[in-house]
Amino acid sequence: MSMFPMHIPSLKCFSFRFLLLFLELQIATSEDQACYDIHVYDEILPYTSEEVDAIGSPSSWTRSPVSDQDDGCFDSVNLGFTFPWRPNGLESNVKISPNGALHFGTRPEQCCEPGPRACSRCYFASPGTCGLRGNYYNGRGDYSNLIAAFLTDLNPGLESLAGVPMNGTVQYASGPSALITRWSRVPLFFNHVPPSLSSTSSHSSSSSSPSLSLSLQSSSSSSSSTSPSSASPVSFEASLLANTGDVLLRFHDVVDPYQICCWTAGTTRREWSVGIRLPKYGNKAFSPTKYQAQWNTSVSGYYPPLSAIRSGVTVEMKRLSGGVRFCAYPSRILNGTTSLTLYLATGCAICTSCAYEAELSLGEVPRAGCNWDSQRRYLRCSFDLAGSQLAFVPGETATVTLIADSESLEHEPIRLDVVHANASTEEPFDPTVSVANQMLSRLCRRCFVNTSVVCPLDCSGEAGGLATVDTCGVCSGGLTGRVPDASKDCAGLCNGPYRFVSYPAGTTVHGSTGQCICNGGPEACLNKSLTFSPGTQEFHEMCASPNVTSDRAGTIVHISTGNHQAPCQSDTVCDVHCLLGNVSVAGKWSRANRSVRCPLPIPPPLPPGSTSQFIPILLKTHENKIWSSSSLLSIEVVGGSDPRFNLTEVKSLDDPHSVCLGCTKFHPNYCRKDCTGTYGGTAKVDDCLTCTGGTTNKRFNGEADCAGICNGPFQRLNGACYCPGTAEACQQEGYRSIYETPSTAANAPSVVRQTQITCLSPFILPQDGFNGKNHSYYLRIGTERKVCPKNGPCDVKCKIGNETVDGSFISKGNYVQCEPPPFPFGGIGNATVVVSLLVSGFIVPSKPLFVTYLPFNSSSASTASPSLLEKLANLSKVPALCDRCHRRTKNATCFHDCFGEWNGDALTDTCGDCTGGSTGLAVNYNADCQGVCNGPFEMSEGFCVCLHDENGRKNHSTCIRAGKQSIIGVQKQATLCVHPNILPTREPTKIMVMGSDLSNKPPPSPFGLVFGDSRFVPAKYDEAFRSLIVEAPPLASGSATLGVRVSSRGVQTGPWMFVTFDTRQQPPARELKDCGRCCRVNPVGCKVDCADVSFGKALVDSCGVCGGGTTGK
């Protein structure tokens, strides 16, 4: 199809092939507004006969001057006919905007920054000034009183973008009864070149023709890609038809402006609009229309669906000649009725700040007051028909007339049929739902499609429907045909297994003919996954005791509320009932154990194959409130064939612990059992996991031996606790000791309140202890956590067998060191004793540690030989402790220094070398005289310098870069600069040092500069430059770079600065006339002019231009 068709094929308005959407959008009203319908076609409609007359021939098209503009003057066009725009006025002129709109009025209302009256123009406003959303800024107007064909920030006058030709034009053709305005291949405005154009342009610059495709993407097709082409121009048309007042918009090639980049700086989304933006009517407010919210604007008007604006679509906006069209509910009046509430919905933008009244044409009915509902968008008019002198006759028709602010409102007729009350076909109202809600629902059913009434969707998808999700999660009520909560069983479980079972014929129990029971077994009847909603008034946590009982007569059930709210306030005056299924039985309240006791009614006979049945439980209080638990509470009743039948005897009601059969959780203290299973018993489990005390006749920890090991091998000898035999047999790591239990004493240190890993070395000792056979044998204990602070007092001891000796905490290595005492009883062979660590008198809880004393005078040569004693001496040294205990205590005991030595002093220095300790290397031995690790600096002529080489590897730049890596501390936050920094080598040169730290005052005297970290040269403070002036000494050894620092009172301070002595450098002028490269750090002292020249004479003139001085201006 041609982009701009010239022929007139037959128009199939209602063809299902072309008609995408027919929307009756009756937009706008009041005496100064108009009403329109919207039709959306999924094709480019051929021109009407009026449009063909306007075109005539191709030469009839006139090129508008806005084709050469961005936001320039509008093109004012004489229509040649009068176009009905306002109901009380016709327009003979229209103004064409380069931004895709047709404006009316002598001075368009939307102009934020209008030009002279002779040339109406306005800039397309960015957010914050004024825009399409309808916001007011600084008293300026909105974009209104216009037809937005494709209103956005366009730039028809753009000749090319990044080398790509645009060639956009705006044309119009006017005839006796139609005007067609065409925007053809018009580019969007860009604040800067879009990235896609920049990359495309550079890529194709070598080609003879641009490779960028300018084909336009429709919004539907562009959604599948990342974004539309940034260079896509747009083509569209707007036609005004004089005879009908209709508007046609044809979208040939358009893109979604939201997807295009590079609009006004600081914004991310372009402003755009399509539709009729009506003129404002004083200060009156108007109701929003159906799709207005999609365009995010408060400007009154009519707008098509946002999704309909895409390539190949025509939007027809038909003006309604009869005024506002209302949809009314009800549409009938029942004769004999005394009142009538009429709901009126419309798609028009009617005045919402006006006062409305309604007149009824039958009888002497008073005017009805009408109220506008701003949230649901409808008028509600209430007629009083009781005093009417004329009886309504079935078959008559009543007409409703609306008055707005005491003036008749122009609208299409609203007719109501009078029918006989008995002949009404209206569905009856649901008594469980309010009449007002049902009236609104019926209004939505009748009027939602063609009006702007707000009708939220119910759970069934019905606009304004009354269906809701019931407690079982089922959408019911309304038009669903489902009864709310119909899926609940008799116990209140959604889709549950409980059913009502009748008693045998003629049998009743407590007035009930049947019972609500479940015979499906515990898995089905106690299914916690089912939603429980009994519809009760209150929920309280309750439990039943017992939860399993027999169906024999006299069975009692307890319903406990625990410490929660009580159903009664006293035991004597309390009318409380247990609702056991469908049977209500009187209960007895006990405030002592906070439970209700009720006799269990005999359930219906068990069906064949079942041995038990479950009965749901509720509670009715003395206030007739029904209580239920948050989940289903039930009791299982077993029959005689169930093996549990004889095990379900309920204790006497006088037994104070009867409630504990099923409600222990509500009475944890009262129903507490000891380890023998006795309620309120005193027996408890000891540290050896044995039930002791109470009725057990067992002593607490009676199974622990003298070493605290449960069922251990240790025994006493004359008061000493030891284990005879070999070290391997006595030192079992799996032994359980009562000393593993952390201390709970209030004054116990924190390290004994939690169990930790401990490790001991050595694990064998001579029986004469510390000073045995010319050797000193230390006993050391490593720990997982530090038992003492690094600095400060610490009471730490070692308990070895029955002896306690003082210890010392060695923080470097994290262990305790003790001198072991001799074993008090010799001559008994090997003796293994338990070793414990004490902090402030409390044992550190851990697995038991052991040490075995070997007899010195043993007949066994292997245990008494000097080599063994020498081995024991080695085992008692620190490295042996580290080797044995480092891993056992999770690397907490001992550490390796960088040289690999246990607890050594070697450290990694600043240069990354392992030095000190046993390495024999001095710290930072690899740093040169400048303090640079492996650096290029060396001593020459008494200076620390970086000598330049002939091949250029060591030069001014490389030496400075290396020198800044000095490990010698500097004052990094200080800012200083030296000028000049390249000096001659054979004679002294004046230099200056300046910076923010010197801008106010000099450093404390005496002050100067230190060259090469060795030569101090005094300095003077220059008030004019606010800097230090120093005469740098010569350097005869050739080209070299050296560090310079400020020295004050003999202390070097500030950052490193560097100067280079260059044999090729000529001596500078004796007087320093400017700050050179150092202006940036001292602009005040250097008096920098507008040309960035120190002590320059350039000035900013009255035009804002920097001139004079060195500028050449």
Side-chain angles (χ1 to χ4, degrees), residues 12 49-50 146 260 267 272 282 303 311 367 371 379 417 442 456 483 520 559 646 778 788 819 842 1036 1073 1099:
K12 298 179 180 179
S49 58
E50 296 95 331
L146 60 91
I260 304 301
T267 63
W272 74 301
Y303 304 86
S311 298
R367 280 188 178 184
N371 296 315
L379 277 173
D417 296 330
R442 296 180 185 185
V483 178
I559 302 175
N646 295 322
Y778 285 98
C788 293
E819 297 179 4
F842 295 91
K1073 297 182 178 181
L1099 297 173

Side-chain angles (χ1 to χ4, degrees), residues 501-719:
V501 178
S502 299
Y503 290 119
T507 303
T508 60
V509 177
H510 293 274
S512 178
T513 60
Q515 180 63 288
C516 179
I517 62 172
C518 174
N519 297 118
E523 184 174 352
C525 300
L526 301 177
N527 188 352
K528 298 293 186 182
S529 65
L530 298 178
T531 301
F532 178 58
S533 178
T536 54
Q537 296 167 307
E538 295 186 23
F539 287 90
H540 296 272
E541 288 300 319
M542 299 186 296
C543 69
S545 178
N547 47 30
V548 179
T549 188
S550 64
D551 61 0
R552 62 169 60 91
T555 298
I556 300 297
V557 61
H558 293 250
I559 302 175
S560 177
T561 62
N563 293 324
H564 305 287
Q565 183 177 350
C568 297
Q569 299 302 320
S570 69
D571 294 340
T572 57
V573 181
C574 182
D575 181 15
V576 64
H577 285 72
C578 299
L579 303 182
L580 305 170
N582 285 72
V583 180
S584 175
V585 295
K588 184 178 181 181
W589 165 251
S590 173
R591 188 168 51 180
N593 56 17
R594 304 185 70 80
S595 65
V596 177
R597 292 164 289 176
C598 296
L600 186 70
I602 298 176
L606 287 167
S610 296
T611 61
S612 68
Q613 52 191 345
F614 289 80
I615 301 176
I617 299 175
L618 298 173
L619 198 63
K620 186 171 74 171
T621 71
H622 68 292
E623 297 175 337
N624 288 324
K625 292 182 179 179
I626 306 300
W627 285 11
S628 66
S629 189
S630 57
S631 59
L632 178 64
L633 181 64
S634 62
I635 183 170
E636 184 180 12
V637 182
V638 299
S641 60
D642 193 293
R644 296 171 293 172
F645 182 82
N646 295 322
L647 302 177
T648 58
E649 285 289 338
V650 180
K651 295 187 177 184
S652 168
L653 292 180
D654 297 330
D655 187 340
H657 291 99
S658 294
V659 73
C660 297
L661 292 175
C663 296
T664 302
K665 65 176 182 177
F666 281 173
H667 310 278
N669 296 324
Y670 184 70
C671 295
R672 184 186 60 82
K673 292 182 180 179
D674 66 5
C675 54
T676 65
T678 303
Y679 285 114
T682 58
K684 61 181 179 179
V685 178
D686 64 6
D687 296 318
C688 292
L689 305 181
T690 301
C691 185
T692 61
T695 59
T696 64
N697 294 321
K698 293 183 179 180
R699 184 171 55 85
F700 189 81
N701 287 338
E703 295 178 351
D705 61 14
C706 60
I709 298 173
C710 298
N711 301 303
F714 284 76
Q715 54 187 271
R716 290 196 176 277
L717 173 65
N718 296 330

Side-chain angles (χ1 to χ4, degrees), residues 445-464:
R445 259 187 278 168
R446 178 189 296 268
C447 305
F448 174 68
V449 174
N450 297 326
T451 69
S452 302
V453 63
V454 177
C455 298
L457 300 180
D458 67 4
C459 59
S460 69
E462 180 75 19

Side-chain angles (χ1 to χ4, degrees), residues 827-847:
I828 62 171
N830 294 344
T832 299
V833 297
V834 175
V835 178
S836 300
L837 185 62
L838 282 73
V839 178
S840 300
F842 295 91
I843 294 178
V844 175
S846 71
K847 288 286 185 182

